[in-house]
Amino acid sequence: MQDDQNPILTLRDVKTYFPVKAGIFKRTVAHVKAVDGVSLDIYRGEVLGLVGESGCGKTTLGKTILRLVEATDGDITYSSKNEKTNLAGLNNEEMLPFRKRLQIVFQDPHSSLNPAFTIFGSLQDPLKKYGIKSRKERRKIIGDLLESVNMRREYMDRYPHEFSGGQRQRIGIARALSVEPELIVCDEAVSALDVSIQAQVLQLLMKLKNERNLTYLFITHDLSVTEYICDRIAVMYLGRIVELCRAEELYSNTLHPYTEALLSAIPVADLDKQTKRIVLEGDVPSPVNPPSGCPFHPRCHKAIDVCKTQVPDLKSYNANGAEHFASCHLIDLPETT
Ligand code: SF4
């Protein structure tokens, strides 16, 4: 259950730009604006979905929150009972205690499991780093962790290639849990798995969340997954949040044409409930030189003249008793009959 009064992380105007260099002197000639002014709160105990097409900046935002890439600007404030800390201002040493509290599960567990090491070899590293000196104690903790993700403790002496994709992902989750984090960024954590295995891993994530009072930032391109596990959903396009509200509100009262198009692509079993598919033409434009006005206007099936010149603000609209944020000029137009 989320605690609306108690954000664990508060992002304000976060930007992550990567320089584009050219010429023999490698001068910076432009910037890739991967994250371009994101403000949002992540509440303790919630599952916040972050969705959008590939290239919209969601993975970069997740990595920026964890300081795996550096923010160019903005504040990332971590809050606990007694402290508020702007993570964006910390050096590597100061960041160390927060790395323990904020963990990530990647889409490809290979990236966090060294194929040359046994599972024990890979999972003991973070424990050693955070002061568990006795090997016997590390084996006990890793055995317990494997059991908590529904695997046998003796699997710790096997190598990553001996496991299926779903098992490797469970080991990736065990690795993230090993340092007892408070928030886990799940970056496309089930996207590479078969549908039946996806359901098992999602169930496991929800069980662990409830047992350990975890908070998840759940990054995915798949809106059919978020409906069942997320409390709120943020939709991202070209480095910005374009819609943010409670999950059930997003599916029943969509305000942004981009979200509408994403939702229309979800296959449904009941053909009577299938809405007309809105095909998004072309790819997400280059974040080096985003379109003027509303960045979505070249692909928007509802664009009007003002969309080409004016950037719509992300505004709050109260709907069904809860806040619903969206950025689209159409919402403010008077309804015509
Ligand atoms: Fe489409 Fe215009 Fe709304 Fe942007 S502001 S989403 S282009 S209607």
Side-chain angles (χ1 to χ4, degrees):
M1 198 65 192
Q2 76 181 62
D3 181 349
D4 287 2
Q5 306 307 317
N6 191 5
I8 182 167
L9 278 181
T10 306
L11 278 58
R12 289 295 173 262
D13 206 17
V14 173
K15 295 177 182 163
T16 311
Y17 294 176
F18 299 106
V20 178
K21 302 203 181 264
I24 49 172
F25 297 113
K26 297 280 175 223
R27 290 215 173 96
T28 300
V29 292
H31 285 93
V32 176
K33 297 175 179 175
V35 177
D36 197 12
V38 167
S39 297
L40 57 83
D41 297 327
I42 304 176
Y43 296 109
R44 241 171 227 284
E46 80 166 331
V47 182
L48 175 65
L50 183 61
V51 302
E53 295 162 283
S54 301
C56 71
K58 54 193 189 307
T59 290
T60 306
L61 180 60
K63 288 184 174 172
T64 304
I65 288 171
L66 302 181
R67 291 278 310 273
L68 297 177
V69 298
E70 294 298 332
T72 310
D73 203 359
D75 294 335
I76 303 164
T77 305
Y78 167 87
S79 304
S80 68
K81 259 187 200 158
N82 309 318
E83 57 178 339
K84 278 188 191 298
T85 311
N86 183 7
L87 303 182
L90 303 183
N91 64 31
N92 280 343
E93 201 180 324
E94 291 165 335
M95 188 61 204
L96 208 55
F98 296 96
R99 294 209 183 281
K100 196 170 178 295
R101 299 178 205 181
L102 312 171
Q103 287 288 306
I104 187 165
V105 175
F106 293 103
Q107 174 176 2
D108 175 13
H110 272 302
S111 51
S112 54
L113 296 174
N114 188 330
F117 289 177
T118 61
I119 301 308
F120 173 73
S122 286
L123 266 62
Q124 72 165 342
D125 273 357
L127 295 176
K128 271 186 184 167
K129 191 168 170 185
Y130 290 106
I132 312 291
K133 294 212 166 54
S134 137
R135 181 182 166 85
K136 194 173 164 196
E137 200 181 339
R138 291 197 299 273
R139 283 191 74 82
K140 158 96 176 58
I141 293 172
I142 291 169
D144 291 348
L145 280 168
L146 288 176
E147 284 185 348
S148 75
V149 296
N150 305 334
M151 296 184 77
R152 290 158 62 171
R153 52 197 313 127
E154 53 269 29
Y155 285 177
M156 77 174 87
D157 295 317
R158 295 189 183 178
Y159 288 86
H161 72 266
E162 298 179 64
F163 296 99
S164 67
Q167 287 175 318
R168 279 200 292 265
Q169 194 54 293
R170 281 193 247 161
I171 295 165
I173 294 168
R175 189 180 205 276
L177 292 175
S178 64
V179 289
E180 299 184 358
E182 294 173 16
L183 179 142
I184 299 182
V185 174
C186 302
D187 186 8
E188 302 279 10
V190 297
S191 302
L193 304 175
D194 291 342
V195 175
S196 59
I197 309 295
Q198 269 190 6
Q200 288 174 15
V201 174
L202 287 173
Q203 269 177 8
L204 173 67
L205 283 169
M206 296 313 285
K207 176 180 94 87
L208 294 168
K209 173 191 170 302
N210 294 333
E211 286 172 1
R212 295 167 181 249
N213 195 24
L214 295 167
T215 304
Y216 292 147
L217 176 63
F218 194 86
I219 298 174
T220 181
H221 66 278
D222 186 354
L223 268 155
S224 60
V225 171
T226 47
E227 183 174 8
Y228 300 103
I229 65 157
C230 294
D231 297 296
R232 293 186 304 147
I233 298 175
V235 182
M236 200 166 173
Y237 186 77
L238 219 52
R240 299 173 188 202
I241 303 295
V242 296
E243 187 158 10
L244 167 65
C245 61
R246 293 197 61 80
E248 62 271 19
E249 170 73 7
L250 190 87
Y251 290 84
S252 61
N253 181 28
T254 315
L255 292 182
H256 199 283
Y258 177 58
T259 314
E260 224 180 292
L262 294 179
L263 289 175
S264 78
I266 301 175
V268 292
D270 183 349
L271 287 180
D272 291 338
K273 290 187 181 164
Q274 181 76 61
T275 52
K276 189 168 180 294
R277 173 91 195 257
I278 302 163
V279 179
L280 284 172
E281 303 289 344
D283 294 327
V284 178
S286 164
V288 175
N289 189 17
S292 60
C294 172
F296 184 53
H297 86 257
R299 303 172 78 201
C300 180
H301 64 292
K302 291 183 172 172
I304 51 177
D305 282 349
V306 67
C307 305
K308 294 179 189 160
T309 53
Q310 283 184 30
V311 182
D313 293 328
L314 186 69
K315 293 187 194 166
S316 167
Y317 301 88
N318 271 318
N320 302 324
E323 258 185 330
H324 189 151
F325 296 90
S327 64
C328 174
H329 293 304
L330 285 186
I331 307 168
D332 294 328
L333 284 184
E335 277 189 35
T336 52
T337 49

